[in-house]
């Protein structure tokens, strides 16, 4: 039968009845490739994306409203759950904000210990992001290798604060206990084992032809558009702007350390991968330098692990039982009856995703009057529709995972 | 010669005169208040001026001050000059009955979602916003939860006993009157006729 | 030529279910055999929303290895999975999505609530968080913790294995189960 005869029996729809020429695809909140709960409604023309609309808020936990009820030290567990892959950075950022409000200056040893913990957290965050980019391109092995190294980092956290993931590490003014020998030994073990693992991981991806062809050109953004969209962190540095809060507004004695800021060119997924990779090497350098500086403190100075903030730092139990002031402060802190000084302060730290800002307004009561988190993920996710315009569906997945979107930080 | 807070303040006062008020520097951060009609003009001035170059919008949020009648909501902008490394904060106070402010989305693309979040939490109406609807909360929500008059908890939950959490409960044990019956004795302590003898 | 094995050399005898043994055969109840087969080959669906999801990733890693328990293959499609592991906070916006995923699963299906937020709302007693997923779907095992250690998640999986192994064949059609489903609004 010839073709026209075959077509004679087909149903013919009236002309103009099909107006839509694009397919709507719901890359829904539950999807294996979206590492977190956010939704993308894509309009596809075949395999190309015509437009993308994002929906967030599937894990909105009302942090800012909860924080209006709690005294300062009880807000730290909330900050943990912002970017939960690198929760010590959030905790330290919050403590630095409180210390700015209270006018507390921490001793150098505390600063260096904080830097060690924050850079470990940054390594932990970038490891997840880079290995997950690998998983999304189909390379599962890298992910399994580096999870083992993250277990080492978790063990270091456990020695200091007792918990692995949502750490609530540190207190206003310092740490809750001094780092013991086991923690330092684990840190040395990490510093010895980790470079080899990172080198192996890098070799799997950096000059891998399949990986490069998938990620180069996926979701590029120019520096101007990135700045206009409020990008910060590795995503902005991949676009060519070397803005790093650790260098621009150094906190916690970062000015004592020398490190480079890796910068990319085109801002596509390959550049983001490379920037994060290089940042991990820089973090390793910083941890080594900080550890060396910590070891230089000898004698009584080596026992210092917190500043003197009697109103917010829980006193030692032996002092509570013997001294009067310690007893009173212990009571007031536990019952939550300490009043903060009034004022408004904004402090930013370099989180795993960029500038994590804390805007705290205090009216002199026990809980903040208003606390706002400047969450980098929320701000740069808006650019997703621009990044994926005209890209193919598989590129959309790569762009999403290379932006390192953490749902907890996005919705907050 | 770097840009200093005083220089920025001087330029702003030259341009806008007395309309910008309340210049302060809490913790070294220049802060001032602008009237709501001028918020976009101030942002444009800070962006376009060749010397000031505040071309990065760090944050956009709102605060609810229930005690300032007539000016309850404050929209707060944090801008940053990345080249000279100087930050600036300015506030715009608006009435809670007619919370209209001009949108900054034409200038900064990042303001899009930040304004939607501010609308979602406080009900600030950004005039000219391309797509002003709720972003983080459920679409059916009919109130603005971050305002001070609304509670944190969900009032309809049944499994948590507010008495045990130190809030809620009907009586202050003798100090208040039950609205329905007009008695001042809590229900558990009332003598009932049906009580078995 | 085998390397000398140093670890895990202590063999553990697994008990076989109560059966009537003969030469070359053993007869036991159908329930036992099906339970045994099911419990050692559970296909989980990780519904990971937040921090507990990262602890689950650590559980799937080689240090705490969940695949020892037969859960090597994670499925992300509810049509193919047996165990819905809800890990992380479920907000009210997400609850209908969760219910829809649960409805798409085929019987027999089990649900595990991992983490304090899934069990009861966790530390977030706020207007936007669902105070426990058992408000929308029936839950079999609750694993508390914030986040629970990988050992705790594995313990939860082992409890699910106990439930799966001892389940009656007729349970899913019984009246009591139907009442439970109706109480959740599921037909």
């Amino acid at each position: 039968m010839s073709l026209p005869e075959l077509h004679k029996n087909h149903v013919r729809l009236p002309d103009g009845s099909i107006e839509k020429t694009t397919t709507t695809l719901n890359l829904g909140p539950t999807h294996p490739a979206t590492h977190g709960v956010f939704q993308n409604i894509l309009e596809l023309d075949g395999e190309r994306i015509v437009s993308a609309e994002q929906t967030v808020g599937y894990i909105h936990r009302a942090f800012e409203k909860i924080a209006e009820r709690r005294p300062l030290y009880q807000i730290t567990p909330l900050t943990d759950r912002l970017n939960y892959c690198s929760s010590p950075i959030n905790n330290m950022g919050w403590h630095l904000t409180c210390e700015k409000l209270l006018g507390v200056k921490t001793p150098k040893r505390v600063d260096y210990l904080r830097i060690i913990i924050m850079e470990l957290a940054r390594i932990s965050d970038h490891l997840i992001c880079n290995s997950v980019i690998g998983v999304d391109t189909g390379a599962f092995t890298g992910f399994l290798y580096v999870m083992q190294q993250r277990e080492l980092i978790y063990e270091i956290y456990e020695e200091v604060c007792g918990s692995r993931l949502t750490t609530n590490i540190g207190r206003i003014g310092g740490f809750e206990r001094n780092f013991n020998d086991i923690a330092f030994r684990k840190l040395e073990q990490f510093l010895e084992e980790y470079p080899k693992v990172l080198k192996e991981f890098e070799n799997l991806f950096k000059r891998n032809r399949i990986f490069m062809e998938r990620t180069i050109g996926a979701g590029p953004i120019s520096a101007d558009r990135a700045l206009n969209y409020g990008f910060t962190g590795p995503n902005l540095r991949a676009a060519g702007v070397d803005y790093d809060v650790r260098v621009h507004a150094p906190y916690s004695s970062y000015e004592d350390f020398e490190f480079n800021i890796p910068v990319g060119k085109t801002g596509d997924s390959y550049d983001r991968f490379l920037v994060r990779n290089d940042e991990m090497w820089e973090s390793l350098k910083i941890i080594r330098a900080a550890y060396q500086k910590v070891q230089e403190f000898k004698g009584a100075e080596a026992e210092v692990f917190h500043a003197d903030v009697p109103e917010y730092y829980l006193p030692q139990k032996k002092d509570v039982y013997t001294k009067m002031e310690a007893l009173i402060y212990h009571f007031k802190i536990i019952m939550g009856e300490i009043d903060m000084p009034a004022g408004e302060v904004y402090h930013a730290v370099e989180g795993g995703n960029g500038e994590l800002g804390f805007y705290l307004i205090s009216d002199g009561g026990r809980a903040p009057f208003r606390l706002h988190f400047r969450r980098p993920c929320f701000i740069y996710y808006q650019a997703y529709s621009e990044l994926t315009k005209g890209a193919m569906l598989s590129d959309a997945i790569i762009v999403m995972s290379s932006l390192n979107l953490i749902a907890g930080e996005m919705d907050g | 010669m770097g840009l200093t807070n005083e220089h920025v303040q001087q330029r702003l006062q030259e341009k806008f005169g007395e309309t910008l008020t309340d210049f302060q520097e809490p913790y070294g951060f220049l802060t001032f208040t602008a009237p709501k009609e001028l918020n976009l003009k101030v942002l444009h001035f800070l962006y376009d001026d060749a010397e000031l170059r505040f071309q990065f919008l760090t944050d956009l949020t709102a605060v609810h001050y229930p005690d300032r009648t007539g000016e309850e909501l404050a929209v707060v902008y944090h801008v940053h000059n990345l080249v000279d490394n100087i930050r600036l904060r300015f506030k715009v106070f608006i009435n809670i009955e007619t919370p209209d402010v001009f949108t900054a989305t034409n200038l900064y693309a990042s303001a899009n979602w930040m304004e939607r979040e501010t609308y979602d939490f406080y009900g600030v109406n950004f005039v000219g916003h391309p797509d002003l609807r709720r972003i983080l909360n459920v679409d059916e929500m009919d109130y603005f939860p971050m305002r001070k008059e609304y509670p944190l908890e969900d009032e309809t939950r049944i499994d948590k006993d507010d008495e045990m959490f130190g809030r809620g409960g009907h009586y202050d044990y003798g100090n208040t009157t039950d609205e329905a019956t007009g008695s001042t004795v809590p229900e558990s302590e009332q003598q009932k006729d049906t009580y078995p003898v | 030529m085998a390397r000398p094995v140093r670890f895990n050399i202590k063999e553990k005898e697994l008990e076989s279910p109560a059966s009537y043994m003969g030469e070359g055969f053993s007869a036991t109840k159908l329930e036992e055999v099906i339970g045994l087969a099911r419990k050692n080959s559970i296909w989980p669906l990780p519904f990971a929303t937040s921090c507990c999801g990262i602890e689950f990733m650590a559980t799937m890693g080689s240090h705490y290895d969940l695949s020892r328990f037969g859960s090597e293959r994670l499925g992300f499609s509810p049509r193919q999975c047996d165990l819905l592991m809800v890990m992380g906070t479920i907000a009210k916006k997400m609850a209908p999505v969760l219910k829809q995923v649960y409805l798409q699963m085929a019987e027999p299906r089990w649900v595990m609530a991992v983490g304090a937020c899934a069990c009861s709302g966790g530390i977030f007693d706020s207007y936007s968080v669902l105070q426990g997923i058992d408000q929308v779907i029936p839950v079999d095992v609750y694993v508390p913790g914030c986040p629970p250690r990988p050992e705790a998640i594995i313990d939860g999986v082992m409890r699910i294995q106990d439930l799966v192994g001892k389940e009656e064949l007729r349970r899913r059609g019984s009246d009591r189960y139907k009442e439970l489903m109706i109480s959740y609004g599921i037909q």
Side-chain angles (χ1 to χ4, degrees):
Chain A
M1 240 200 288
S2 69
L3 225 48
E5 281 172 21
L6 271 174
H7 284 170
K8 204 163 41 165
N9 299 329
H10 285 195
V11 174
R12 286 214 51 179
L13 293 166
D15 287 327
S17 63
I18 303 179
E19 286 117 11
K20 244 172 73 116
T21 53
T22 57
T23 323
T24 312
L25 183 68
N26 179 23
L27 209 59
T30 75
H31 191 275
T34 72
H35 305 280
V37 272
F38 32 89
Q39 185 187 33
N40 272 310
I41 301 179
L42 305 168
E43 294 282 334
L44 296 169
D45 174 22
E47 185 83 12
R48 299 257 157 208
I49 295 178
V50 172
S51 75
E53 189 192 311
Q54 303 99 296
T55 317
V56 296
Y58 286 101
I59 195 169
H60 176 56
R61 296 179 277 196
F63 282 135
E64 298 179 4
K65 187 107 187 160
I66 297 179
E68 286 177 9
R69 242 247 204 132
R70 296 177 167 215
L72 293 182
Y73 36 86
Q74 289 186 5
I75 296 179
T76 324
L78 289 181
T79 58
D80 267 338
R81 282 130 180 106
L82 281 172
N83 182 351
Y84 35 78
C85 298
S86 57
S87 38
I89 301 183
N90 308 336
N91 289 335
M92 300 299 170
W94 172 242
H95 290 141
L96 288 163
T97 313
C98 295
E99 286 162 16
K100 201 167 174 180
L101 181 72
L102 301 169
V104 172
K105 179 95 180 51
T106 43
K108 281 284 180 187
R109 186 169 185 268
V110 169
D111 284 344
Y112 297 147
L113 289 174
R114 276 183 169 170
I115 287 181
I116 295 178
I117 295 286
M118 282 198 273
E119 293 305 316
L120 280 175
R122 194 183 313 280
I123 290 180
S124 165
D125 195 357
H126 288 336
L127 275 180
I128 287 199
C129 181
N130 275 355
S131 51
V132 156
I133 299 179
V135 168
D136 283 342
T137 52
F140 198 63
T141 314
F143 175 75
L144 287 176
Y145 269 151
V146 296
M147 284 314 256
Q148 197 57 22
Q149 290 306 306
R150 292 193 74 241
E151 292 290 329
L152 259 182
I153 298 180
Y154 281 170
E155 284 181 20
I156 298 177
Y157 293 159
E158 258 185 319
E159 276 308 314
V160 180
C161 71
S163 120
R164 289 156 49 100
L165 183 71
T166 48
T167 47
N168 194 8
I169 199 169
R171 302 281 178 260
I172 297 177
F175 284 92
E176 58 271 53
R177 56 180 71 84
N178 200 357
F179 282 36
N180 52 11
D181 290 328
I182 304 179
F184 284 130
R185 247 190 307 122
K186 287 194 173 157
L187 185 62
E188 283 167 19
Q189 185 192 358
F190 176 78
L191 287 173
E192 209 180 282
E193 283 184 11
Y194 177 64
K196 301 188 209 102
V197 171
L198 187 57
K199 191 87 191 118
E200 202 174 345
F201 179 73
E202 210 182 15
N203 285 341
L204 278 177
F205 288 104
K206 201 163 164 180
R207 301 303 298 172
N208 182 332
R209 180 168 160 171
I210 303 177
F211 185 74
M212 284 170 73
E213 295 214 0
R214 287 240 22 210
T215 48
I216 291 183
I221 190 166
S222 66
D224 291 324
R225 288 306 289 164
L227 282 174
N228 206 301
Y229 267 112
F231 273 46
T232 45
N235 298 326
L236 181 64
R237 295 196 273 279
V241 180
D242 62 340
Y243 171 54
D244 187 331
V245 185
R246 293 175 289 176
V247 172
H248 269 63
Y251 49 90
S252 180
S253 303
Y254 263 107
E255 59 266 16
D256 296 346
F257 295 91
E258 270 193 37
F259 55 97
N260 303 324
I261 306 180
V263 167
K265 282 196 277 293
T266 52
D268 59 12
S269 305
Y270 188 61
D271 276 353
R272 290 192 273 266
F273 174 86
L274 287 180
V275 162
R276 290 202 169 91
N277 195 21
D278 289 338
E279 272 189 20
M280 283 200 271
W281 287 113
E282 296 301 318
S283 291
L284 203 55
K285 225 165 53 171
I286 299 176
I287 296 179
R288 260 190 244 278
Y291 183 46
Q292 207 173 359
K293 287 194 161 94
V294 165
Q295 282 177 311
E296 284 166 13
F297 288 99
K298 299 278 183 243
E301 279 192 347
E303 298 301 317
V304 166
F305 57 94
H306 68 99
D308 206 17
V309 194
E311 284 154 8
Y312 286 93
Y313 192 91
L314 213 55
Q316 302 278 336
K317 255 325 199 202
K318 57 180 168 55
D319 293 336
V320 173
Y321 287 134
T322 49
K323 298 201 181 86
M324 193 55 170
E325 303 85 30
L327 178 68
I328 296 177
Y329 278 126
H330 181 98
F331 179 78
K332 286 178 81 168
I333 293 174
I334 301 281
M335 299 302 282
E337 295 186 7
I338 307 259
D339 286 336
M340 302 184 271
E344 60 184 286
V345 62
Y346 175 83
H347 185 77
V349 290
E350 179 74 15
N353 283 333
E355 179 181 336
L356 177 66
F358 298 89
Y359 177 46
L360 169 64
I361 301 184
S362 148
D363 61 347
R366 73 188 253 287
F369 182 73
R370 169 86 170 111
L371 173 59
H372 176 72
F373 301 108
R374 189 251 182 219
R375 312 182 299 278
C377 270
F378 179 72
I379 295 177
Y380 63 62
Y381 189 41
Q382 302 172 67
Y384 185 73
S385 37
E386 189 172 310
L387 287 173
T388 53
K389 212 180 237 348
M392 293 210 262
L393 181 59
S394 30
D395 288 342
I397 307 287
I398 302 266
V399 169
M400 208 179 338
S401 52
S402 72
L403 282 178
N404 198 20
L405 296 163
I406 308 276
E409 191 177 55
M410 210 178 342
D411 297 345
Chain B
M1 110 117 215
L3 216 49
T4 57
N5 283 349
E6 289 78 29
H7 188 76
V8 173
Q9 178 173 345
Q10 190 191 349
R11 292 293 314 277
L12 282 165
Q13 278 174 324
E14 274 170 23
K15 170 88 180 177
F16 291 100
E18 289 304 310
T19 48
L20 305 181
T21 54
D22 200 22
F23 278 85
Q24 286 176 6
E25 280 188 51
Y27 302 95
F29 206 111
L30 183 59
T31 310
F32 62 91
T33 305
K36 72 175 190 185
E37 298 79 25
L38 290 184
N39 73 329
L40 205 49
K41 289 204 171 55
V42 172
L43 280 172
H44 267 289
F45 173 64
L46 290 168
Y47 190 100
D48 297 323
D49 188 82
E51 193 191 3
L52 292 181
R53 288 180 301 184
F54 281 91
Q55 290 170 348
F56 189 75
L57 181 69
T58 305
D59 201 9
L60 199 171
T61 182
V63 191
H64 181 211
Y65 293 100
D67 295 332
R68 301 171 69 129
T69 40
E71 295 192 321
E72 287 90 353
L73 291 176
V75 179
V76 184
Y77 297 85
H78 285 83
V79 286
H80 192 180
N81 178 341
L82 290 175
V83 181
D84 300 305
N85 197 10
I86 182 169
R87 294 186 193 247
L88 187 56
R89 175 193 303 143
F90 74 95
K91 305 190 200 182
V92 170
F93 284 95
I94 47 184
N95 194 337
I96 206 167
E97 309 293 328
T98 52
D100 301 316
V101 199
F102 292 118
T103 179
T105 21
N106 298 324
L107 186 58
Y108 294 107
S110 56
N112 193 329
W113 277 19
M114 292 204 261
E115 289 179 354
R116 275 178 70 182
E117 184 192 4
T118 315
Y119 166 70
D120 189 4
F121 285 153
Y122 287 97
V124 179
N125 180 22
F126 287 94
V127 175
H129 193 275
D131 187 21
L132 194 67
R133 57 192 162 95
R134 287 192 182 268
I135 186 170
L136 292 177
N137 286 313
V138 262
D139 292 324
E140 298 87 44
M141 192 181 253
D142 51 3
Y143 66 101
F144 299 111
M146 281 292 282
R147 290 190 184 175
K148 296 279 178 184
E149 58 259 25
Y150 299 112
L152 167 66
E153 299 85 7
D154 177 16
E155 298 283 281
T156 59
R157 71 202 191 308
I158 45 173
D159 55 338
K160 299 209 161 73
D161 188 0
D162 274 337
E163 289 282 347
M164 293 293 139
F165 281 76
R167 51 187 175 262
H170 293 280
Y171 300 102
D172 206 3
Y173 293 105
N175 293 347
T176 55
T177 313
D178 182 22
E179 286 138 17
T181 59
S183 86
T184 48
V185 180
E187 200 180 40
S188 52
E189 291 182 14
Q190 278 170 2
Q191 282 244 296
K192 292 205 177 21
D193 296 336
T194 53
Y195 206 64
V197 173
Chain C
M1 133 116 200
R3 305 174 272 127
V5 178
R6 288 184 294 141
F7 306 111
N8 290 330
I9 46 182
K10 192 168 61 166
E11 286 187 20
K12 180 177 131 179
E13 283 280 335
L14 286 175
E15 318 99 39
S16 51
S19 50
Y20 172 68
M21 302 265 237
E23 185 166 331
F25 76 96
S26 103
T28 176
K29 289 196 289 191
L30 185 61
E31 262 176 13
E32 309 259 348
V33 174
I34 288 185
L36 190 65
R38 274 181 182 166
K39 81 176 185 185
N40 290 320
S41 66
I42 299 180
W43 284 8
L45 198 178
F47 196 96
T49 42
S50 66
C51 351
C52 291
I54 309 290
E55 279 295 53
F56 178 72
M57 276 160 59
T59 313
M60 285 302 296
S62 37
H63 206 95
Y64 293 102
D65 208 8
L66 192 59
S67 52
R68 294 179 277 169
F69 298 90
S71 309
E72 169 71 49
R73 182 206 187 270
L74 295 182
F76 287 92
S77 162
R79 304 272 183 211
Q80 300 170 355
C81 289
D82 310 312
L83 173 62
L84 177 65
M85 301 171 78
V86 183
M87 296 175 285
T89 320
I90 300 293
K92 296 210 172 106
K93 203 166 175 179
M94 191 67 181
V97 178
L98 176 63
K99 188 145 184 183
Q100 208 172 4
V101 169
Y102 178 72
L103 289 175
Q104 289 179 343
M105 287 171 75
E107 298 280 7
R109 57 192 171 192
W110 291 271
V111 177
M112 189 160 115
V114 176
C117 294
C119 293
S120 71
I123 64 174
F124 303 108
D125 190 10
S126 69
Y127 58 85
S128 63
V129 171
L130 195 67
Q131 302 293 305
I133 60 172
D134 48 12
Q135 310 231 348
V136 286
I137 53 178
V139 177
D140 292 300
V141 168
Y142 298 85
V143 182
C146 193
R149 280 194 65 105
E151 288 99 334
I153 301 181
I154 291 180
D155 188 45
V157 171
M158 285 168 66
R159 299 275 154 272
I160 290 270
Q161 282 186 330
D162 286 341
L163 282 178
V164 173
K166 299 193 176 68
E167 180 163 309
E168 299 170 346
L169 277 183
R170 311 241 169 113
R171 178 184 172 232
R172 304 280 165 172
S174 66
D175 286 332
R176 212 169 141 213
Y177 186 73
K178 285 207 180 78
E179 270 175 33
L180 176 68
M181 288 288 121
I182 289 176
S183 74
Y184 276 100
I186 301 171
Q187 260 59 48

